[in-house]
Amino acid sequence: MIKSRAYIINITICLGVLFLASCGKQHTAEQTVKDFVAQNMQEGVETSGYDFADLGTTRHINDSLVTEMRKKGADLFKSGIQYDKAPQGDMFYLRMRYLYKGDTLQNTFYLDSTLTHVVAFK
């Protein structure tokens, strides 16, 4: 009985730590994207109602896709945005929905492994 109680307590603690760690990554990624949007949205563009999907990872983004996304940019954003070097391997991505003049728009942002820099977006 005592061993099973200790086992349950240990499992609960481990799950709690994992939950808090994942929330921390999500929050860091959301803040990085909010800062990027604030710096790189065209002058005079007013957006609101930011809503984020869960943070994910992908291996399917290569240098040519990053180059293409950087070249295309997106409506409402400045052109000529300066980015950090694209990392090799897995990247994180975060989808953000927001309101602009009554319309719901969405962009996907790709972040480095530290979640502190946007590498590209579409």
Side-chain angles (χ1 to χ4, degrees), residues 26 29 55 57 96-97 101:
Q26 179 78 24
L55 183 65
T57 59
M96 179 185 79
R97 285 185 300 199
K101 293 187 177 181

Side-chain angles (χ1 to χ4, degrees), residues 57-70:
T57 59
T58 183
R59 294 176 188 226
H60 302 290
I61 303 297
N62 57 34
D63 289 339
S64 61
L65 289 172
V66 167
T67 301
E68 188 66 25
M69 282 189 279
R70 288 177 174 181

